Amino acid sequence: MLDIYHFSYGWITPVLAYFMSVTGCLLGLQCAARGRNATEGRAGWLIGAAVAIGGTGIWVMHFIAMLGFTIRGADIRYDIPLTLFSAITAMVVVGIGLFMVNKPQPTLRSLLAAGTIAGLGVGTMHYTGMYAMKSSATVEYDAGLVALSMVIAVVASIVALWFTLRVKGFLATVGAALIMGVAVCGMHYTGMASMHAHAGQHGTPTSGAEAMELLAPLIGVSSIVTMLVLISVSLTEIENEEALPRMWLTSRHRPRPRPAKPAPPVAQPVAASVAPQAQHDYRTEELRYDGAGAWPRRVVD
């Protein structure tokens, strides 16, 4: 069995890997918070969160940690297409999880499903990156530690997606990013601990790129993208801090409003019939003398 070293450069690579993981997760949580409160451009913010968490927080952390990985007596090179595929996988699965849970009425069921998909995808990213590593040694894995690393990835993904829904405020976001960084690094080094190398019959790999030849440009590109996301987050403030959405156990559909029943007709008060008042003819009789010796009778109304 060949000796494997995970910290060939001391604590520089794990500390730098953790720092990049926390940075990516912090930016991702900030983007998710803006997408959660945005009336327009929600999809763009969630895509930015997927790039920050999946790209910088997970994939860049993974390969920075790989800079310190060496096998005594064996050369290591990396397959470029598989390495790029692992990066795309990390961003896509995190994006799927974000779009599944970030909705007006998130449910516990959707959170668990999204976290499982994202966690299995992150584990696939990790072992795809390890498969992209070509070496003259024969590499084997301990099944128990591999399963444990996948469980850590799923749990970490569920917690991370829950943070994107519930974290509010800068200090709480920083604390959540620190926890997410620990989970991502824990998953990576648990998976790396499952490796065993033996002297193989493989010759020295000639195809692929060495660690620094591959990672230097990729880390440079990811750093530029991270800075662009950071600038976008800095220039965009959350205008309205609305109340966080309530987490339901299952989906609840709002009942359709039923048509209002017509109000019963209101009985109009019947005006009392007023009996016509008896009309009396008040006639006044007066007698006037007409000068002819007669007193005619005249009726005056």
Side-chain angles (χ1 to χ4, degrees), residues 49-254:
V51 172
I53 297 176
T56 303
I58 297 175
W59 184 82
V60 172
M61 174 270 148
H62 169 83
F63 276 97
I64 288 179
M66 289 302 296
L67 290 176
F69 176 78
T70 56
I71 301 175
R72 176 178 290 183
D75 295 327
I76 298 175
R77 300 180 74 89
Y78 292 90
D79 184 280
I80 296 177
L82 281 177
T83 303
L84 295 178
F85 175 76
S86 67
I88 295 173
T89 300
M91 292 182 282
V92 169
V93 295
V94 172
I96 292 174
L98 288 170
F99 276 93
M100 286 180 64
V101 299
N102 279 271
K103 50 188 179 181
Q105 291 185 347
T107 63
L108 181 60
R109 182 179 299 175
S110 64
L111 175 64
L112 296 177
T116 302
I117 293 174
L120 294 177
V122 169
T124 301
M125 179 279 305
H126 173 82
Y127 290 104
T128 301
M130 296 305 300
Y131 183 74
M133 182 184 67
K134 305 301 180 182
S135 174
S136 57
T138 300
V139 178
E140 297 177 352
Y141 295 91
D142 182 273
L145 289 178
V146 170
L148 178 60
S149 68
M150 297 298 289
V151 171
I152 294 174
V154 171
V155 174
S157 298
I158 294 174
V159 173
L161 293 175
W162 185 84
F163 282 151
T164 64
L165 295 175
R166 312 308 302 172
V167 171
K168 187 176 181 180
F170 181 74
L171 293 179
T173 304
V174 171
L178 293 173
I179 296 173
M180 291 170 66
V182 171
V184 173
C185 292
M187 178 267 166
H188 171 81
Y189 285 107
T190 301
M192 295 299 294
S194 67
M195 294 182 60
H196 303 285
H198 302 272
Q201 303 298 326
H202 309 288
T204 302
T206 57
S207 61
E210 294 182 356
M212 290 305 300
E213 294 176 354
L214 173 64
L215 298 182
L218 291 179
I219 292 174
V221 172
S222 64
S223 299
I224 294 174
V225 174
T226 302
M227 290 302 298
L228 292 177
V229 176
L230 177 61
I231 293 172
S232 300
V233 171
S234 301
L235 296 178
T236 306
E237 297 181 357
I238 301 178
E239 298 179 356
N240 185 16
E241 280 284 350
E242 298 179 354
L244 295 175
R246 183 177 178 183
M247 179 71 69
W248 298 96
L249 181 61
T250 56
S251 59
R252 298 192 176 191
H253 301 284
R254 296 179 180 178

